[in-house]
Amino acid sequence: MALKPVRPERLIIRPPSEWRSMLVRVTRGCKWNRCKFCGQYPAFGEPAFSVRDVDDVKDDIDWFAARMPFLTTAFLGDADPLCRPLKESLDIISYLRIKNPRLERVTAYARAQTMWKLGEPGLKQLARAGLNRLHIGLESGDLQTLKFQFKGQTPKIVVQAGQWIKNAGIELSLYVLLGIAGQYRWKEHCDETANALNIVNPDFIRMRRLWVYQGGEGAMMLENPLCHEVKNGNFTPQTAEGTVKELRRILSRLENITGSMVCDHANNYVTVEGRMPDDKEKMLAAIDEFLSLPEHDRNAHYEAVGSTI
Ligand code: SF4
């Protein structure tokens, strides 16, 4: 008879803001798994997608409830944990809440396409069960860029899903990827991204920088799928300075945002953060101050920051 694992199954990636959370693995890997700029789950040894048994997930929740009852936030992974049948997601979230009455926040990664398929009624059911926040990759508001990167979603879908999420009373974190359009479409990427953000007005805008990693770097075992396009001359990576200019261009075009903007990842060359709209000018000034440094200092800074997952 096979013995059940004693410890909870570990998920692979979580948002930095979830570092103190109960990390509950609901699915393994990414069901979509085709974004050229990503490849993270295969690179970390999880090439296939699978859905974990509800009873196994509940066993993990029991383990956390017994040994770490002091935790006040929980995060559901891996990449698209709510792609399983809605009934099962509701069962898991309700069980998590019942077993951990101290929880103040239950968060999950999600694909916009999956949330869009659930629709506003499905999202409202998740909110009633106790889901408080979703982390979603917008990456870019530029349709051409998303198509090239095989993101499997359009900006319209992200905007619609984002509005439904907010209407359901769930906090929305949207991720933006600086450099995703390369050197030749960066202005369209920035302008269309700002347009999409202005329509949705997410609670958090989280800035990230594209890293086209080679296989074997750090913990990554496989190369980023985008490497192939770079080698074939189909994609010219943005320069370090270019990504800082992208950050400035997007921020300068944000008009209707009342949430927070953060650069909460080690890859960001300039890490401004603040509440919109009050801190917008202060953040722009910080970027300008960096860009006015001598070229030698800026280049030394880019080198020192490096790249990590
Ligand atoms: S970016 Fe998200 S949806 Fe795309 S392959 Fe990576 S984990 Fe999957």
Side-chain angles (χ1 to χ4, degrees):
M1 189 178 76
L3 290 174
K4 282 202 163 187
V6 198
R7 290 206 166 248
E9 211 174 286
R10 295 178 72 169
L11 48 84
I12 294 184
I13 304 165
R14 56 153 178 80
S17 54
E18 300 293 332
W19 67 279
R20 274 190 296 199
S21 293
M22 179 185 300
L23 301 177
V24 183
R25 196 175 208 197
V26 170
T27 54
R28 302 183 186 96
C30 174
K31 189 174 181 185
W32 177 249
N33 224 1
R34 275 174 267 184
C35 303
K36 288 181 191 169
F37 62 86
C38 178
Q40 293 186 12
Y41 289 94
F44 277 115
E46 195 71 63
F49 171 79
S50 60
V51 176
R52 293 190 68 212
D53 249 27
V54 173
D55 286 343
D56 290 344
V57 177
K58 286 182 175 175
D59 281 350
D60 286 358
I61 292 171
D62 289 344
W63 188 96
F64 280 117
R67 291 168 179 82
M68 305 175 94
F70 47 87
L71 294 177
T72 55
T73 56
F75 172 74
L76 311 178
D78 285 340
D80 194 15
L82 304 173
C83 70
R84 60 189 311 148
L86 178 61
K87 206 166 150 245
E88 293 182 6
S89 297
L90 295 172
D91 188 12
I92 289 169
I93 295 168
S94 304
Y95 190 80
L96 182 61
R97 286 287 188 180
I98 289 165
K99 286 283 172 170
N100 299 278
R102 285 167 62 112
L103 282 183
E104 291 161 10
R105 193 181 76 212
V106 176
T107 307
Y109 273 146
R111 282 193 76 224
Q113 184 79 17
T114 306
M115 298 302 96
W116 184 78
K117 280 185 193 156
L118 283 177
E120 196 168 340
L123 288 160
K124 284 186 170 162
Q125 287 187 68
L126 288 168
R128 278 197 294 274
L131 184 75
N132 308 86
R133 183 182 292 177
L134 284 169
H135 291 268
I136 292 185
L138 163 66
E139 324 299 2
S140 175
D142 178 39
L143 180 60
Q144 194 170 314
T145 298
L146 292 182
K147 276 186 177 169
F148 173 79
Q149 295 285 358
F150 236 85
K151 180 66 189 173
Q153 68 190 26
T154 63
K156 269 190 185 167
I157 281 178
V158 188
V159 166
Q160 179 69 86
Q163 289 171 325
W164 287 339
I165 288 164
K166 289 194 67 185
N167 290 346
I170 298 172
E171 282 186 324
L172 177 63
S173 264
L174 283 184
Y175 287 74
V176 171
L177 197 52
L178 304 173
I180 190 175
Q183 280 186 36
Y184 301 119
R185 217 179 149 75
W186 72 276
K187 286 183 180 162
E188 290 85 349
H189 159 53
C190 293
D191 297 356
E192 293 303 320
T193 298
N195 285 344
L197 293 170
N198 283 335
I199 299 171
V200 182
N201 185 18
D203 299 280
F204 300 91
I205 299 169
R206 298 186 188 274
M207 307 302 290
R208 298 285 182 272
R209 173 176 63 83
L210 176 73
W211 173 29
V212 187
Y213 53 84
Q214 310 286 325
E217 287 183 36
M220 318 297 281
M221 292 182 285
L222 302 174
E223 72 172 23
N224 179 304
L226 197 55
C227 272
H228 190 63
E229 301 289 8
V230 175
K231 285 174 196 159
N232 287 345
N234 296 329
F235 185 81
T236 307
Q238 180 59 285
T239 60
E241 188 117 316
T243 63
V244 178
K245 288 180 179 165
E246 287 187 18
L247 174 65
R248 194 195 189 289
R249 188 168 176 119
I250 294 171
L251 176 57
S252 70
R253 280 164 170 70
L254 296 181
E255 297 297 342
N256 304 316
I257 308 294
T258 52
S260 299
M261 181 165 129
V262 293
C263 304
D264 57 341
H265 193 276
N267 280 356
N268 290 99
Y269 290 124
V270 174
T271 55
V272 290
E273 66 174 74
R275 289 285 305 181
M276 297 287 286
D278 295 355
D279 297 330
K280 177 176 169 177
E281 292 310 319
K282 206 166 67 186
M283 290 190 275
L284 284 171
I287 299 169
D288 290 340
E289 192 183 333
F290 172 79
L291 288 171
S292 67
L293 291 172
E295 187 179 356
H296 172 271
D297 292 356
R298 298 198 309 273
N299 288 338
H301 174 75
Y302 298 140
E303 196 135 326
V305 169
S307 295
T308 183
I309 194 72

